[in-house]
Amino acid sequence: MQSMQQSIPQTRIFDTISKARLIFEKHGNRLLTDHDISRLLKKYRDAIGRTAELMRQMGVHRQCSRCASEGPGGCCFPGIEEGYDHILLLINLLMGCSPPDVQEVAGSCTFVGPHGCKLLARYYYCVHFLCPGLHDVLEPLSVKILLRTVGEELQAGWETERAIHAWLKRQERPDGGDCPAW
Ligand code: SF4
Ligand code: SF4
């Protein structure tokens, strides 16, 4: 495993994390008590749980956690985290999962920790990609079942992101205009 707490130059992702934290501090409680948002968050959290359970059963979770935390070479390479926007990171915060404020594993995605990925809500690439090594060990039917479950997770995530985006827009600009705060 790579050494921990490296002094690595801060990247754009830390600005995105800060933005998500600011919105969470300002609106988190009301988002969590909004009926529709809390329902969608639960639906998304449950879908994430189903994917994770399937990955555990198939051995994917173990293999990916080891691969990611042992350093460069896997699909959790540096820079890939820049694909995350503040809304998805806000969703992580709303689910009780706090994105890191420092890079922990050198030469990898900012979100890699000693036991693999630290995020709960992850974007398309992170949950949908299965490398050739995984395809070699998984039966085609298992891949099909897994990707169908992943698709349900992504759909639930998209619905949640869309609803939170609209909610935030209503708070800042009831007329529906662009909000400079986020
Ligand atoms: S999908 Fe493959 S390359 Fe990516 S973390 Fe899992 S085992 Fe490693
Ligand atoms: S967010 Fe997680 S799964 Fe995606 S590349 Fe980073 S560590 Fe890997």
Side-chain angles (χ1 to χ4, degrees):
M1 187 184 300
Q2 301 289 304
S3 61
M4 300 295 165
Q5 308 292 338
Q6 304 288 318
S7 55
I8 289 168
Q10 300 274 298
T11 58
R12 195 157 45 92
I13 192 62
F14 291 105
D15 293 336
T16 311
I17 293 170
S18 298
K19 191 171 179 180
R21 284 198 199 292
L22 279 174
I23 298 172
F24 180 67
E25 283 162 19
K26 187 173 179 188
H27 296 295
N29 285 340
R30 285 195 301 133
L31 278 165
L32 287 168
T33 51
D34 180 276
H35 180 265
D36 284 341
I37 300 293
S38 63
R39 178 184 59 80
L40 287 167
L41 281 169
K42 182 181 182 314
K43 183 180 166 190
Y44 187 17
R45 186 72 181 84
D46 289 348
I48 291 170
R50 282 193 294 277
T51 305
E53 180 54 31
L54 205 50
M55 286 187 167
R56 259 190 293 277
Q57 288 171 10
M58 293 178 178
V60 172
H61 187 266
R62 187 179 62 248
Q63 198 161 328
C64 288
S65 295
R66 191 172 55 227
C67 172
S69 58
E70 283 180 353
C75 61
C76 300
F77 50 86
I80 188 71
E81 67 274 37
E82 299 295 344
Y84 278 81
D85 71 359
H86 60 290
I87 298 291
L88 194 49
L89 295 176
L90 171 64
I91 289 174
N92 276 278
L93 286 162
L94 292 167
M95 289 180 174
C97 174
S98 184
D101 289 315
V102 292
Q103 175 125 20
E104 201 172 354
V105 177
S108 291
C109 168
T110 299
F111 299 128
V112 175
H115 307 295
C117 184
K118 292 176 167 181
L119 297 183
L120 270 175
R122 295 178 295 166
Y123 80 146
Y124 178 90
Y125 168 83
C126 296
V127 288
H128 196 269
F129 177 74
L130 298 173
C131 68
L134 285 178
H135 276 283
D136 284 348
V137 296
L138 293 172
E139 296 290 333
L141 182 59
S142 297
V143 171
K144 197 173 167 188
I145 293 168
L146 181 55
L147 292 182
R148 190 177 61 210
T149 307
V150 162
E152 290 165 4
E153 173 185 329
L154 290 169
Q155 173 68 24
W158 180 77
E159 288 172 13
T160 310
E161 284 182 61
R162 201 177 54 157
I164 288 178
H165 201 278
W167 189 97
L168 288 170
K169 200 165 185 175
R170 285 198 300 275
Q171 305 312 303
E172 303 290 348
R173 289 284 303 269
D175 62 356
D178 287 340
C179 170
W182 52 275

